[in-house]
Amino acid sequence: EAGVTQFPSHSVIEKGQTVTLRCDPISGHDNLYWYRRVMGKEIKFLLHFVKESKQDESGMPNNRFLAERTGGTYSTLKVQPAELEDSGVYFCASSQADTNEQFFGPGTRLTVL
Amino acid sequence: GENVEQHPSTLSVQEGDSAVIKCTYSDSASNYFPWYKQELGKRPQLIIDIRSNVGEKKDQRIAVTLNKTAKHFSLHITETQPEDSAVYFCAASRATGGFKTIFGAGTRLFVKA
């Protein structure tokens, strides 16, 4: 069974540009989570989808971040316009409907110059 | 808001010694406590978890203990091996799907051969 996949693995952009990250959860997992880790700090919760609905987006830093999960399958996280402090590793995780055992993707390392 | 404190941030042990990582959490409603291991360049992987209806759980060389009254939980690794070297994250959440997971800042464990 394929695990959680994320694309791209790395992205280097300039301040003010736009970047879109993609996450494909494990097939059949209703729950999809986005996290961000800034070097040396915690894995910080950003938001949580249940199928196509946003269950909790309390961790989203500001309105420059937009997450979608149309159709309840893959999800995208768009940052527009990117700022220097957005740099970090963005992880996606998924879990089945009745459990919080989360499986993580490999992450996307975003560098904003 | 909810938070998880994790100590130490760095831990260096000699191969064969034990390693202990401690965490405290703030949300009294948390009842699920997973531990993730992240090797260099790889994704976080669940290594063990504990639910609040038990005080201790063991899986070969790793064990977790939970003190719900004090809101403390710990990871114990015995007979450490070089391949145990990684960053370890504790987390607190609720057992059923649909609730965000709060992570600690991570502990970088070095096991010296």
Side-chain angles (χ1 to χ4, degrees):
Chain A
E1 179 184 335
V4 178
T5 59
Q6 291 186 245
F7 182 84
S9 56
H10 294 82
S11 180
V12 181
I13 60 173
E14 293 188 348
K15 176 182 172 181
Q17 290 186 320
T18 297
V19 64
T20 300
L21 314 181
R22 173 171 169 146
C23 168
D24 286 78
I26 293 173
S27 178
H29 280 194
D30 286 347
N31 293 299
L32 187 150
Y33 305 82
W34 282 100
Y35 296 93
R36 176 174 70 183
R37 186 176 191 225
V38 173
M39 188 179 294
K41 298 200 172 180
E42 76 274 22
I43 299 173
K44 187 174 182 301
F45 169 85
L46 297 179
L47 89 159
H48 167 218
F49 284 99
V50 177
K51 297 184 180 178
E52 67 274 9
S53 300
K54 290 177 187 174
Q55 178 80 5
D56 183 347
E57 52 184 328
S58 61
M60 294 288 262
N62 50 61
N63 58 11
R64 296 186 293 103
F65 289 74
L66 175 64
E68 295 180 321
R69 193 184 181 194
T70 307
T73 54
Y74 72 91
S75 175
T76 58
L77 179 65
K78 181 162 73 172
V79 185
Q80 178 183 29
E83 298 288 344
L84 300 179
E85 63 264 26
D86 300 333
S87 296
V89 180
Y90 289 77
F91 288 105
C92 173
S94 71
S95 71
Q96 292 181 325
D98 57 351
T99 175
N100 211 355
E101 181 178 341
Q102 297 180 29
F103 294 85
F104 275 76
T108 294
R109 182 175 295 278
L110 174 64
T111 302
V112 182
L113 302 176
Chain B
E2 309 97 337
N3 74 297
V4 173
E5 299 285 336
Q6 182 172 349
H7 300 280
S9 57
T10 305
L11 179 59
S12 184
V13 300
Q14 203 68 38
E15 182 178 3
D17 288 349
S18 295
V20 180
I21 301 170
K22 298 183 178 181
C23 293
T24 60
Y25 62 97
S26 62
D27 183 5
S28 301
S30 296
N31 57 8
Y32 175 65
F33 306 92
W35 286 85
Y36 287 83
K37 175 184 180 182
Q38 186 180 19
E39 296 177 79
L40 190 63
K42 297 190 177 180
R43 69 189 71 196
Q45 292 205 308
L46 179 72
I47 55 171
I48 195 167
D49 55 20
I50 190 168
R51 294 167 194 261
S52 59
N53 56 345
V54 299
E56 184 172 353
K57 182 177 178 181
K58 191 172 181 181
D59 182 4
Q60 299 182 359
R61 294 187 298 108
I62 59 174
V64 289
T65 58
L66 171 65
N67 182 332
K68 209 164 191 303
T69 303
K71 296 185 194 168
H72 289 172
F73 57 115
S74 301
L75 176 72
H76 304 251
I77 306 174
T78 58
E79 301 171 30
T80 53
Q81 301 167 3
E83 52 265 37
D84 294 330
S85 297
V87 179
Y88 291 80
F89 293 95
C90 63
S93 183
R94 297 182 193 177
T96 54
F99 196 79
K100 65 185 178 186
T101 299
I102 305 298
F103 284 83
T107 295
R108 185 172 293 278
L109 174 64
F110 297 95
V111 180
K112 296 175 285 187

